[in-house]
PDB file of all heavy atoms in Angstrom:
ATOM      1  N   SER A  18       2.853  29.308 -45.436  1.00 72.00           N
ATOM      2  CA  SER A  18       3.539  28.140 -44.872  1.00 72.00           C
ATOM      3  C   SER A  18       2.567  27.063 -44.415  1.00 72.00           C
ATOM      4  O   SER A  18       2.982  26.057 -43.840  1.00 72.00           O
ATOM      5  CB  SER A  18       4.422  28.568 -43.693  1.00 72.00           C
ATOM      6  OG  SER A  18       3.633  29.142 -42.653  1.00 72.00           O
ATOM      7  N   ASP A  19       1.279  27.265 -44.657  1.00 71.00           N
ATOM      8  CA  ASP A  19       0.278  26.272 -44.261  1.00 71.00           C
ATOM      9  C   ASP A  19       0.547  24.958 -44.996  1.00 71.00           C
ATOM     10  O   ASP A  19       0.712  24.939 -46.221  1.00 71.00           O
ATOM     11  CB  ASP A  19      -1.124  26.791 -44.608  1.00 71.00           C
ATOM     12  CG  ASP A  19      -2.223  25.959 -43.953  1.00 71.00           C
ATOM     13  OD1 ASP A  19      -2.194  24.724 -44.110  1.00 71.00           O
ATOM     14  OD2 ASP A  19      -3.091  26.543 -43.285  1.00 71.00           O
ATOM     15  N   PRO A  20       0.609  23.830 -44.270  1.00 69.00           N
ATOM     16  CA  PRO A  20       0.900  22.549 -44.936  1.00 69.00           C
ATOM     17  C   PRO A  20      -0.174  22.118 -45.933  1.00 69.00           C
ATOM     18  O   PRO A  20       0.068  21.242 -46.756  1.00 69.00           O
ATOM     19  CB  PRO A  20       0.998  21.555 -43.762  1.00 69.00           C
ATOM     20  CG  PRO A  20       0.294  22.214 -42.620  1.00 69.00           C
ATOM     21  CD  PRO A  20       0.508  23.679 -42.804  1.00 69.00           C
ATOM     22  N   SER A  21      -1.358  22.722 -45.874  1.00 69.00           N
ATOM     23  CA  SER A  21      -2.417  22.344 -46.819  1.00 69.00           C
ATOM     24  C   SER A  21      -2.044  22.682 -48.253  1.00 69.00           C
ATOM     25  O   SER A  21      -2.601  22.113 -49.193  1.00 69.00           O
ATOM     26  CB  SER A  21      -3.726  23.045 -46.439  1.00 69.00           C
ATOM     27  OG  SER A  21      -3.613  24.449 -46.561  1.00 69.00           O
ATOM     28  N   TRP A  22      -1.070  23.596 -48.450  1.00 72.00           N
ATOM     29  CA  TRP A  22      -0.652  23.929 -49.805  1.00 72.00           C
ATOM     30  C   TRP A  22      -0.060  22.722 -50.517  1.00 72.00           C
ATOM     31  O   TRP A  22      -0.248  22.539 -51.721  1.00 72.00           O
ATOM     32  CB  TRP A  22       0.378  25.056 -49.766  1.00 72.00           C
ATOM     33  CG  TRP A  22      -0.220  26.426 -49.572  1.00 72.00           C
ATOM     34  CD1 TRP A  22      -0.153  27.208 -48.455  1.00 72.00           C
ATOM     35  CD2 TRP A  22      -0.965  27.185 -50.515  1.00 72.00           C
ATOM     36  NE1 TRP A  22      -0.806  28.395 -48.646  1.00 72.00           N
ATOM     37  CE2 TRP A  22      -1.312  28.412 -49.904  1.00 72.00           C
ATOM     38  CE3 TRP A  22      -1.381  26.950 -51.823  1.00 72.00           C
ATOM     39  CZ2 TRP A  22      -2.051  29.399 -50.566  1.00 72.00           C
ATOM     40  CZ3 TRP A  22      -2.106  27.934 -52.483  1.00 72.00           C
ATOM     41  CH2 TRP A  22      -2.437  29.136 -51.857  1.00 72.00           C
ATOM     42  N   THR A  23       0.703  21.916 -49.785  1.00 68.00           N
ATOM     43  CA  THR A  23       1.361  20.771 -50.417  1.00 68.00           C
ATOM     44  C   THR A  23       0.677  19.450 -50.095  1.00 68.00           C
ATOM     45  O   THR A  23       0.706  18.513 -50.893  1.00 68.00           O
ATOM     46  CB  THR A  23       2.833  20.686 -49.968  1.00 68.00           C
ATOM     47  OG1 THR A  23       2.890  20.707 -48.529  1.00 68.00           O
ATOM     48  CG2 THR A  23       3.608  21.880 -50.509  1.00 68.00           C
ATOM     49  N   ASP A  24       0.062  19.357 -48.905  1.00 68.00           N
ATOM     50  CA  ASP A  24      -0.540  18.088 -48.482  1.00 68.00           C
ATOM     51  C   ASP A  24      -2.039  18.031 -48.692  1.00 68.00           C
ATOM     52  O   ASP A  24      -2.654  16.982 -48.483  1.00 68.00           O
ATOM     53  CB  ASP A  24      -0.248  17.839 -46.990  1.00 68.00           C
ATOM     54  CG  ASP A  24       1.240  17.798 -46.689  1.00 68.00           C
ATOM     55  OD1 ASP A  24       2.000  17.467 -47.627  1.00 68.00           O
ATOM     56  OD2 ASP A  24       1.631  18.110 -45.557  1.00 68.00           O
ATOM     57  N   GLY A  25      -2.649  19.146 -49.079  1.00 69.00           N
ATOM     58  CA  GLY A  25      -4.097  19.180 -49.214  1.00 69.00           C
ATOM     59  C   GLY A  25      -4.749  19.507 -47.879  1.00 69.00           C
ATOM     60  O   GLY A  25      -4.118  19.493 -46.820  1.00 69.00           O
ATOM     61  N   ILE A  26      -6.040  19.833 -47.947  1.00 70.00           N
ATOM     62  CA  ILE A  26      -6.802  20.178 -46.747  1.00 70.00           C
ATOM     63  C   ILE A  26      -7.347  18.903 -46.124  1.00 70.00           C
ATOM     64  O   ILE A  26      -8.025  18.113 -46.778  1.00 70.00           O
ATOM     65  CB  ILE A  26      -7.954  21.137 -47.091  1.00 70.00           C
ATOM     66  CG1 ILE A  26      -7.396  22.430 -47.691  1.00 70.00           C
ATOM     67  CG2 ILE A  26      -8.796  21.437 -45.865  1.00 70.00           C
ATOM     68  CD1 ILE A  26      -8.461  23.384 -48.182  1.00 70.00           C
ATOM     69  N   HIS A  27      -7.018  18.692 -44.851  1.00 67.00           N
ATOM     70  CA  HIS A  27      -7.462  17.488 -44.148  1.00 67.00           C
ATOM     71  C   HIS A  27      -8.386  17.886 -43.002  1.00 67.00           C
ATOM     72  O   HIS A  27      -8.124  18.833 -42.267  1.00 67.00           O
ATOM     73  CB  HIS A  27      -6.273  16.696 -43.609  1.00 67.00           C
ATOM     74  CG  HIS A  27      -5.375  16.171 -44.693  1.00 67.00           C
ATOM     75  ND1 HIS A  27      -5.692  15.077 -45.468  1.00 67.00           N
ATOM     76  CD2 HIS A  27      -4.170  16.602 -45.150  1.00 67.00           C
ATOM     77  CE1 HIS A  27      -4.726  14.854 -46.343  1.00 67.00           C
ATOM     78  NE2 HIS A  27      -3.791  15.772 -46.169  1.00 67.00           N
ATOM     79  N   PHE A  28      -9.473  17.137 -42.857  1.00 64.00           N
ATOM     80  CA  PHE A  28     -10.441  17.394 -41.803  1.00 64.00           C
ATOM     81  C   PHE A  28     -10.534  16.180 -40.893  1.00 64.00           C
ATOM     82  O   PHE A  28     -10.487  15.042 -41.345  1.00 64.00           O
ATOM     83  CB  PHE A  28     -11.823  17.691 -42.394  1.00 64.00           C
ATOM     84  CG  PHE A  28     -11.888  18.979 -43.170  1.00 64.00           C
ATOM     85  CD1 PHE A  28     -11.752  18.991 -44.545  1.00 64.00           C
ATOM     86  CD2 PHE A  28     -12.081  20.184 -42.520  1.00 64.00           C
ATOM     87  CE1 PHE A  28     -11.807  20.173 -45.262  1.00 64.00           C
ATOM     88  CE2 PHE A  28     -12.146  21.374 -43.223  1.00 64.00           C
ATOM     89  CZ  PHE A  28     -12.012  21.363 -44.591  1.00 64.00           C
ATOM     90  N   TYR A  29     -10.659  16.456 -39.587  1.00 66.00           N
ATOM     91  CA  TYR A  29     -10.892  15.370 -38.639  1.00 66.00           C
ATOM     92  C   TYR A  29     -12.339  14.893 -38.721  1.00 66.00           C
ATOM     93  O   TYR A  29     -12.644  13.738 -38.436  1.00 66.00           O
ATOM     94  CB  TYR A  29     -10.563  15.841 -37.219  1.00 66.00           C
ATOM     95  CG  TYR A  29      -9.106  16.243 -37.053  1.00 66.00           C
ATOM     96  CD1 TYR A  29      -8.732  17.577 -37.020  1.00 66.00           C
ATOM     97  CD2 TYR A  29      -8.107  15.273 -36.957  1.00 66.00           C
ATOM     98  CE1 TYR A  29      -7.405  17.944 -36.880  1.00 66.00           C
ATOM     99  CE2 TYR A  29      -6.772  15.628 -36.826  1.00 66.00           C
ATOM    100  CZ  TYR A  29      -6.424  16.968 -36.780  1.00 66.00           C
ATOM    101  OH  TYR A  29      -5.108  17.322 -36.656  1.00 66.00           O
ATOM    102  N   VAL A  30     -13.234  15.803 -39.092  1.00 69.00           N
ATOM    103  CA  VAL A  30     -14.638  15.472 -39.339  1.00 69.00           C
ATOM    104  C   VAL A  30     -15.025  16.116 -40.665  1.00 69.00           C
ATOM    105  O   VAL A  30     -14.239  16.813 -41.288  1.00 69.00           O
ATOM    106  CB  VAL A  30     -15.538  15.993 -38.192  1.00 69.00           C
ATOM    107  CG1 VAL A  30     -15.244  15.251 -36.889  1.00 69.00           C
ATOM    108  CG2 VAL A  30     -15.368  17.494 -37.995  1.00 69.00           C
ATOM    109  N   GLU A  31     -16.252  15.861 -41.115  1.00 81.00           N
ATOM    110  CA  GLU A  31     -16.705  16.416 -42.378  1.00 81.00           C
ATOM    111  C   GLU A  31     -16.745  17.950 -42.308  1.00 81.00           C
ATOM    112  O   GLU A  31     -17.116  18.526 -41.289  1.00 81.00           O
ATOM    113  CB  GLU A  31     -18.109  15.877 -42.711  1.00 81.00           C
ATOM    114  CG  GLU A  31     -18.138  14.397 -43.059  1.00 81.00           C
ATOM    115  CD  GLU A  31     -17.355  14.098 -44.333  1.00 81.00           C
ATOM    116  OE1 GLU A  31     -17.427  14.905 -45.284  1.00 81.00           O
ATOM    117  OE2 GLU A  31     -16.669  13.070 -44.374  1.00 81.00           O
ATOM    118  N   PRO A  32     -16.356  18.627 -43.394  1.00 85.00           N
ATOM    119  CA  PRO A  32     -16.351  20.097 -43.365  1.00 85.00           C
ATOM    120  C   PRO A  32     -17.762  20.672 -43.394  1.00 85.00           C
ATOM    121  O   PRO A  32     -18.671  20.108 -44.011  1.00 85.00           O
ATOM    122  CB  PRO A  32     -15.584  20.463 -44.643  1.00 85.00           C
ATOM    123  CG  PRO A  32     -15.801  19.299 -45.559  1.00 85.00           C
ATOM    124  CD  PRO A  32     -15.844  18.083 -44.670  1.00 85.00           C
ATOM    125  N   ARG A  33     -17.919  21.810 -42.725  1.00 90.00           N
ATOM    126  CA  ARG A  33     -19.175  22.547 -42.798  1.00 90.00           C
ATOM    127  C   ARG A  33     -19.035  23.569 -43.914  1.00 90.00           C
ATOM    128  O   ARG A  33     -18.358  24.583 -43.782  1.00 90.00           O
ATOM    129  CB  ARG A  33     -19.482  23.242 -41.471  1.00 90.00           C
ATOM    130  CG  ARG A  33     -20.862  23.906 -41.458  1.00 90.00           C
ATOM    131  CD  ARG A  33     -21.193  24.545 -40.126  1.00 90.00           C
ATOM    132  NE  ARG A  33     -20.451  25.787 -39.919  1.00 90.00           N
ATOM    133  CZ  ARG A  33     -19.559  25.986 -38.967  1.00 90.00           C
ATOM    134  NH1 ARG A  33     -19.266  25.012 -38.117  1.00 90.00           N
ATOM    135  NH2 ARG A  33     -18.931  27.141 -38.848  1.00 90.00           N
ATOM    136  N   GLU A  34     -19.690  23.298 -45.020  1.00 93.00           N
ATOM    137  CA  GLU A  34     -19.483  24.088 -46.228  1.00 93.00           C
ATOM    138  C   GLU A  34     -20.601  25.106 -46.475  1.00 93.00           C
ATOM    139  O   GLU A  34     -20.456  25.978 -47.334  1.00 93.00           O
ATOM    140  CB  GLU A  34     -19.341  23.148 -47.426  1.00 93.00           C
ATOM    141  CG  GLU A  34     -18.118  22.228 -47.282  1.00 93.00           C
ATOM    142  CD  GLU A  34     -18.058  21.129 -48.328  1.00 93.00           C
ATOM    143  OE1 GLU A  34     -19.026  20.343 -48.404  1.00 93.00           O
ATOM    144  OE2 GLU A  34     -17.058  21.052 -49.047  1.00 93.00           O
ATOM    145  N   PHE A  35     -21.685  24.999 -45.741  1.00 95.00           N
ATOM    146  CA  PHE A  35     -22.804  25.929 -45.902  1.00 95.00           C
ATOM    147  C   PHE A  35     -22.964  26.783 -44.648  1.00 95.00           C
ATOM    148  O   PHE A  35     -22.845  26.283 -43.525  1.00 95.00           O
ATOM    149  CB  PHE A  35     -24.114  25.177 -46.150  1.00 95.00           C
ATOM    150  CG  PHE A  35     -24.201  24.511 -47.491  1.00 95.00           C
ATOM    151  CD1 PHE A  35     -23.734  23.217 -47.663  1.00 95.00           C
ATOM    152  CD2 PHE A  35     -24.753  25.170 -48.581  1.00 95.00           C
ATOM    153  CE1 PHE A  35     -23.816  22.595 -48.899  1.00 95.00           C
ATOM    154  CE2 PHE A  35     -24.829  24.554 -49.819  1.00 95.00           C
ATOM    155  CZ  PHE A  35     -24.366  23.269 -49.979  1.00 95.00           C
ATOM    156  N   THR A  36     -23.231  28.065 -44.849  1.00 95.00           N
ATOM    157  CA  THR A  36     -23.609  28.939 -43.737  1.00 95.00           C
ATOM    158  C   THR A  36     -24.822  29.756 -44.177  1.00 95.00           C
ATOM    159  O   THR A  36     -24.953  30.122 -45.357  1.00 95.00           O
ATOM    160  CB  THR A  36     -22.471  29.891 -43.326  1.00 95.00           C
ATOM    161  OG1 THR A  36     -22.038  30.639 -44.470  1.00 95.00           O
ATOM    162  CG2 THR A  36     -21.293  29.110 -42.755  1.00 95.00           C
ATOM    163  N   MET A  37     -25.702  30.027 -43.226  1.00 96.00           N
ATOM    164  CA  MET A  37     -26.905  30.807 -43.490  1.00 96.00           C
ATOM    165  C   MET A  37     -26.914  32.040 -42.596  1.00 96.00           C
ATOM    166  O   MET A  37     -26.552  31.955 -41.422  1.00 96.00           O
ATOM    167  CB  MET A  37     -28.157  29.972 -43.220  1.00 96.00           C
ATOM    168  CG  MET A  37     -28.383  28.864 -44.248  1.00 96.00           C
ATOM    169  SD  MET A  37     -27.364  27.401 -43.968  1.00 96.00           S
ATOM    170  CE  MET A  37     -28.137  26.696 -42.519  1.00 96.00           C
ATOM    171  N   ASN A  38     -27.329  33.165 -43.150  1.00 96.00           N
ATOM    172  CA  ASN A  38     -27.385  34.411 -42.391  1.00 96.00           C
ATOM    173  C   ASN A  38     -28.681  35.162 -42.729  1.00 96.00           C
ATOM    174  O   ASN A  38     -28.864  35.599 -43.869  1.00 96.00           O
ATOM    175  CB  ASN A  38     -26.183  35.279 -42.710  1.00 96.00           C
ATOM    176  CG  ASN A  38     -26.165  36.560 -41.902  1.00 96.00           C
ATOM    177  OD1 ASN A  38     -26.583  36.583 -40.746  1.00 96.00           O
ATOM    178  ND2 ASN A  38     -25.701  37.635 -42.519  1.00 96.00           N
ATOM    179  N   PRO A  39     -29.585  35.269 -41.729  1.00 96.00           N
ATOM    180  CA  PRO A  39     -29.501  34.664 -40.387  1.00 96.00           C
ATOM    181  C   PRO A  39     -29.888  33.188 -40.438  1.00 96.00           C
ATOM    182  O   PRO A  39     -30.604  32.763 -41.337  1.00 96.00           O
ATOM    183  CB  PRO A  39     -30.523  35.473 -39.595  1.00 96.00           C
ATOM    184  CG  PRO A  39     -31.555  35.856 -40.615  1.00 96.00           C
ATOM    185  CD  PRO A  39     -30.804  36.100 -41.890  1.00 96.00           C
ATOM    186  N   SER A  40     -29.405  32.435 -39.478  1.00 95.00           N
ATOM    187  CA  SER A  40     -29.743  31.012 -39.411  1.00 95.00           C
ATOM    188  C   SER A  40     -30.948  30.759 -38.514  1.00 95.00           C
ATOM    189  O   SER A  40     -31.476  29.646 -38.493  1.00 95.00           O
ATOM    190  CB  SER A  40     -28.552  30.212 -38.898  1.00 95.00           C
ATOM    191  OG  SER A  40     -28.178  30.639 -37.603  1.00 95.00           O
ATOM    192  N   GLN A  41     -31.366  31.767 -37.769  1.00 96.00           N
ATOM    193  CA  GLN A  41     -32.545  31.650 -36.921  1.00 96.00           C
ATOM    194  C   GLN A  41     -33.087  33.040 -36.616  1.00 96.00           C
ATOM    195  O   GLN A  41     -32.401  34.045 -36.814  1.00 96.00           O
ATOM    196  CB  GLN A  41     -32.222  30.914 -35.622  1.00 96.00           C
ATOM    197  CG  GLN A  41     -31.122  31.546 -34.808  1.00 96.00           C
ATOM    198  CD  GLN A  41     -30.757  30.710 -33.610  1.00 96.00           C
ATOM    199  OE1 GLN A  41     -31.439  29.748 -33.257  1.00 96.00           O
ATOM    200  NE2 GLN A  41     -29.671  31.069 -32.954  1.00 96.00           N
ATOM    201  N   GLY A  42     -34.325  33.075 -36.156  1.00 96.00           N
ATOM    202  CA  GLY A  42     -34.922  34.364 -35.843  1.00 96.00           C
ATOM    203  C   GLY A  42     -36.434  34.245 -35.759  1.00 96.00           C
ATOM    204  O   GLY A  42     -36.997  33.145 -35.684  1.00 96.00           O
ATOM    205  N   ILE A  43     -37.102  35.393 -35.782  1.00 96.00           N
ATOM    206  CA  ILE A  43     -38.558  35.465 -35.706  1.00 96.00           C
ATOM    207  C   ILE A  43     -39.073  36.180 -36.949  1.00 96.00           C
ATOM    208  O   ILE A  43     -38.579  37.255 -37.317  1.00 96.00           O
ATOM    209  CB  ILE A  43     -39.011  36.210 -34.435  1.00 96.00           C
ATOM    210  CG1 ILE A  43     -38.556  35.457 -33.182  1.00 96.00           C
ATOM    211  CG2 ILE A  43     -40.525  36.396 -34.424  1.00 96.00           C
ATOM    212  CD1 ILE A  43     -38.885  36.178 -31.894  1.00 96.00           C
ATOM    213  N   ILE A  44     -40.076  35.576 -37.597  1.00 95.00           N
ATOM    214  CA  ILE A  44     -40.741  36.207 -38.728  1.00 95.00           C
ATOM    215  C   ILE A  44     -42.109  36.683 -38.251  1.00 95.00           C
ATOM    216  O   ILE A  44     -42.908  35.904 -37.712  1.00 95.00           O
ATOM    217  CB  ILE A  44     -40.895  35.234 -39.917  1.00 95.00           C
ATOM    218  CG1 ILE A  44     -39.544  34.634 -40.309  1.00 95.00           C
ATOM    219  CG2 ILE A  44     -41.498  35.965 -41.114  1.00 95.00           C
ATOM    220  CD1 ILE A  44     -39.625  33.675 -41.475  1.00 95.00           C
ATOM    221  N   LEU A  45     -42.382  37.965 -38.431  1.00 95.00           N
ATOM    222  CA  LEU A  45     -43.641  38.537 -37.990  1.00 95.00           C
ATOM    223  C   LEU A  45     -44.806  38.003 -38.809  1.00 95.00           C
ATOM    224  O   LEU A  45     -44.616  37.454 -39.905  1.00 95.00           O
ATOM    225  CB  LEU A  45     -43.565  40.062 -38.111  1.00 95.00           C
ATOM    226  CG  LEU A  45     -42.501  40.755 -37.235  1.00 95.00           C
ATOM    227  CD1 LEU A  45     -42.497  42.250 -37.514  1.00 95.00           C
ATOM    228  CD2 LEU A  45     -42.740  40.465 -35.771  1.00 95.00           C
ATOM    229  N   PRO A  46     -46.027  38.138 -38.279  1.00 93.00           N
ATOM    230  CA  PRO A  46     -47.205  37.665 -39.019  1.00 93.00           C
ATOM    231  C   PRO A  46     -47.269  38.262 -40.425  1.00 93.00           C
ATOM    232  O   PRO A  46     -47.099  39.459 -40.614  1.00 93.00           O
ATOM    233  CB  PRO A  46     -48.377  38.134 -38.154  1.00 93.00           C
ATOM    234  CG  PRO A  46     -47.804  38.264 -36.784  1.00 93.00           C
ATOM    235  CD  PRO A  46     -46.379  38.695 -36.973  1.00 93.00           C
ATOM    236  N   ARG A  47     -47.479  37.379 -41.378  1.00 93.00           N
ATOM    237  CA  ARG A  47     -47.551  37.750 -42.793  1.00 93.00           C
ATOM    238  C   ARG A  47     -46.321  38.572 -43.228  1.00 93.00           C
ATOM    239  O   ARG A  47     -46.407  39.467 -44.071  1.00 93.00           O
ATOM    240  CB  ARG A  47     -48.849  38.508 -43.091  1.00 93.00           C
ATOM    241  CG  ARG A  47     -50.093  37.646 -42.833  1.00 93.00           C
ATOM    242  CD  ARG A  47     -51.386  38.343 -43.192  1.00 93.00           C
ATOM    243  NE  ARG A  47     -52.499  37.417 -43.044  1.00 93.00           N
ATOM    244  CZ  ARG A  47     -53.162  37.202 -41.901  1.00 93.00           C
ATOM    245  NH1 ARG A  47     -52.808  37.872 -40.808  1.00 93.00           N
ATOM    246  NH2 ARG A  47     -54.160  36.347 -41.848  1.00 93.00           N
ATOM    247  N   GLY A  48     -45.191  38.225 -42.633  1.00 95.00           N
ATOM    248  CA  GLY A  48     -43.946  38.893 -42.969  1.00 95.00           C
ATOM    249  C   GLY A  48     -42.998  37.944 -43.683  1.00 95.00           C
ATOM    250  O   GLY A  48     -43.337  36.811 -44.031  1.00 95.00           O
ATOM    251  N   HIS A  49     -41.776  38.391 -43.883  1.00 96.00           N
ATOM    252  CA  HIS A  49     -40.790  37.564 -44.565  1.00 96.00           C
ATOM    253  C   HIS A  49     -39.401  37.875 -44.020  1.00 96.00           C
ATOM    254  O   HIS A  49     -39.189  38.901 -43.358  1.00 96.00           O
ATOM    255  CB  HIS A  49     -40.827  37.782 -46.073  1.00 96.00           C
ATOM    256  CG  HIS A  49     -40.472  39.170 -46.491  1.00 96.00           C
ATOM    257  ND1 HIS A  49     -41.412  40.154 -46.704  1.00 96.00           N
ATOM    258  CD2 HIS A  49     -39.265  39.776 -46.718  1.00 96.00           C
ATOM    259  CE1 HIS A  49     -40.817  41.274 -47.040  1.00 96.00           C
ATOM    260  NE2 HIS A  49     -39.506  41.083 -47.052  1.00 96.00           N
ATOM    261  N   GLN A  50     -38.457  36.992 -44.331  1.00 96.00           N
ATOM    262  CA  GLN A  50     -37.061  37.154 -43.936  1.00 96.00           C
ATOM    263  C   GLN A  50     -36.176  36.752 -45.109  1.00 96.00           C
ATOM    264  O   GLN A  50     -36.297  35.642 -45.640  1.00 96.00           O
ATOM    265  CB  GLN A  50     -36.736  36.281 -42.722  1.00 96.00           C
ATOM    266  CG  GLN A  50     -35.264  36.278 -42.324  1.00 96.00           C
ATOM    267  CD  GLN A  50     -34.811  37.623 -41.805  1.00 96.00           C
ATOM    268  OE1 GLN A  50     -35.319  38.112 -40.795  1.00 96.00           O
ATOM    269  NE2 GLN A  50     -33.840  38.219 -42.475  1.00 96.00           N
ATOM    270  N   ASP A  51     -35.304  37.673 -45.545  1.00 97.00           N
ATOM    271  CA  ASP A  51     -34.340  37.333 -46.592  1.00 97.00           C
ATOM    272  C   ASP A  51     -33.166  36.588 -45.971  1.00 97.00           C
ATOM    273  O   ASP A  51     -32.615  37.002 -44.950  1.00 97.00           O
ATOM    274  CB  ASP A  51     -33.850  38.601 -47.290  1.00 97.00           C
ATOM    275  CG  ASP A  51     -34.931  39.240 -48.151  1.00 97.00           C
ATOM    276  OD1 ASP A  51     -35.806  38.496 -48.637  1.00 97.00           O
ATOM    277  OD2 ASP A  51     -34.907  40.470 -48.319  1.00 97.00           O
ATOM    278  N   ILE A  52     -32.778  35.485 -46.615  1.00 97.00           N
ATOM    279  CA  ILE A  52     -31.722  34.600 -46.105  1.00 97.00           C
ATOM    280  C   ILE A  52     -30.560  34.592 -47.102  1.00 97.00           C
ATOM    281  O   ILE A  52     -30.767  34.378 -48.294  1.00 97.00           O
ATOM    282  CB  ILE A  52     -32.237  33.160 -45.907  1.00 97.00           C
ATOM    283  CG1 ILE A  52     -33.519  33.144 -45.076  1.00 97.00           C
ATOM    284  CG2 ILE A  52     -31.153  32.295 -45.277  1.00 97.00           C
ATOM    285  CD1 ILE A  52     -33.356  33.562 -43.651  1.00 97.00           C
ATOM    286  N   GLU A  53     -29.339  34.828 -46.599  1.00 97.00           N
ATOM    287  CA  GLU A  53     -28.129  34.689 -47.413  1.00 97.00           C
ATOM    288  C   GLU A  53     -27.534  33.298 -47.180  1.00 97.00           C
ATOM    289  O   GLU A  53     -27.204  32.956 -46.046  1.00 97.00           O
ATOM    290  CB  GLU A  53     -27.100  35.760 -47.060  1.00 97.00           C
ATOM    291  CG  GLU A  53     -27.469  37.152 -47.509  1.00 97.00           C
ATOM    292  CD  GLU A  53     -26.354  38.142 -47.248  1.00 97.00           C
ATOM    293  OE1 GLU A  53     -25.446  37.814 -46.453  1.00 97.00           O
ATOM    294  OE2 GLU A  53     -26.378  39.240 -47.832  1.00 97.00           O
ATOM    295  N   VAL A  54     -27.403  32.538 -48.244  1.00 97.00           N
ATOM    296  CA  VAL A  54     -26.820  31.197 -48.173  1.00 97.00           C
ATOM    297  C   VAL A  54     -25.442  31.249 -48.825  1.00 97.00           C
ATOM    298  O   VAL A  54     -25.318  31.614 -49.997  1.00 97.00           O
ATOM    299  CB  VAL A  54     -27.707  30.155 -48.876  1.00 97.00           C
ATOM    300  CG1 VAL A  54     -27.090  28.766 -48.758  1.00 97.00           C
ATOM    301  CG2 VAL A  54     -29.111  30.165 -48.294  1.00 97.00           C
TER     302      VAL A  54
END
């Protein structure tokens, strides 16, 4: 019953379409961190 089905998706501001996991943290010396985008 969401009105977006017929009226489309409306945003009051620009949508946030990207998320990163993790988005912050600590990388140890000469280490690495895998990031999911």
Side-chain angles (χ1 to χ4, degrees):
S18 61
D19 193 308
S21 64
W22 281 108
T23 53
D24 301 334
I26 299 175
H27 296 284
F28 293 96
Y29 298 103
V30 293
E31 291 296 321
R33 186 178 74 244
E34 298 171 302
F35 290 89
T36 55
M37 289 80 72
N38 182 35
S40 60
Q41 57 185 349
I43 298 176
I44 306 180
L45 297 177
R47 297 183 174 87
H49 63 266
Q50 174 67 62
D51 290 332
I52 308 293
E53 289 185 344
V54 181

